[in-house]
Amino acid sequence: MTDLSIYLSCESDTVTLARQVAEAARKGDIIGLTGNLGAGKTAFARAFIQARTGIDEVPSPTFTLVQVYDRDTGSPSIWHMDLYRLEPGADVEELGIEDAMADGILLVEWPDRLDSATLENWVEITLSLADDPSARTVSIGAHGDLARAFHGRIAKATAA
Ligand SMILES: Nc1ncnc2c1ncn2[C@@H]1O[C@H](COP(=O)(O)OP(=O)(O)OP(=O)(O)O)[C@@H](O)[C@H]1O
Ligand SMILES: [Mg+2]
């Protein structure tokens, strides 16, 4: 399965992509957001959460490491993690990562901070700076067979 490559010319393109991915996401789906500081991982997560919950206020979980958003009964909660400041050897169980993976949709910035065995089936969205200050390139790939269905739904949603 080939990675998707997308060019975002401005921040509203990032918002549009986040909305499309939000529509494609189902309970149990995991998105790892990778890319340098300031690449737009939180901007993407914020637009994703706003699209799914209608909640305006979506702070970066820079220091709390995790923020949970519940919509209403019947729709999965959304777990937003930023693991940049995760201490090496810290217990990620305490962040609720098992619950997030079982019952919610997990968005995790800096997933490389986790033990490589923690995430098994996940979609990786990598944001990179591009030629223009407001432009980004994005690559979307899948890790693990079970992430392929989600990746396929994203491919469909972004092709429209
Ligand atoms: N096309 C774009 N997509 C996303 N963000 C953009 C874009 N163009 C400009 N920006 C700006 O880039 C910055 C991205 O910051 P953001 O906090 O989302 O980065 P981050 O990847 O989460 O960084 P960190 O690793 O520090 O958490 C914001 O100030 C945003 O307004
Ligand atoms: Mg961030």
Side-chain angles (χ1 to χ4, degrees):
M1 185 184 39
T2 48
D3 287 4
L4 299 167
S5 264
I6 298 168
Y7 179 79
L8 306 168
S9 62
C10 58
E11 201 162 344
S12 70
D13 282 358
T14 303
V15 172
T16 300
L17 173 66
R19 286 185 184 147
Q20 291 166 335
V21 176
E23 217 160 285
R26 307 272 181 274
K27 180 171 131 172
D29 286 336
I30 300 170
I31 298 167
L33 291 161
T34 53
N36 289 336
L37 293 167
K41 301 179 295 295
T42 300
F44 178 95
R46 180 173 292 126
F48 180 105
I49 291 161
Q50 286 170 339
R52 286 200 67 107
T53 67
I55 295 169
D56 273 345
E57 192 75 6
V58 179
S60 173
T62 308
F63 298 104
T64 54
L65 306 195
V66 58
Q67 194 75 43
V68 188
Y69 299 86
D70 290 308
R71 195 164 66 169
D72 37 43
T73 46
S75 64
S77 40
I78 302 179
W79 296 64
H80 181 194
M81 297 185 181
D82 178 350
L83 302 182
Y84 186 72
R85 289 182 167 73
L86 188 72
E87 302 286 339
D91 184 3
V92 290
E93 286 305 299
E94 282 177 18
L95 297 176
I97 200 155
E98 290 291 334
D99 292 333
M101 294 193 287
D103 293 323
I105 293 169
L106 172 59
L107 291 164
V108 46
E109 298 182 43
W110 298 98
D112 51 310
R113 294 292 194 268
L114 294 167
D115 230 34
S116 59
T118 308
L119 300 182
E120 287 181 332
N121 291 284
W122 55 291
V123 162
E124 179 164 10
I125 298 183
T126 305
L127 289 144
S128 310
L129 299 177
D131 45 356
D132 186 273
S134 65
R136 301 291 186 270
T137 55
V138 186
S139 136
I140 306 179
H143 299 271
D145 286 349
L146 294 179
R148 288 186 186 194
F150 181 29
H151 189 270
R153 289 195 302 275
I154 294 172
K156 232 180 179 173
T158 56

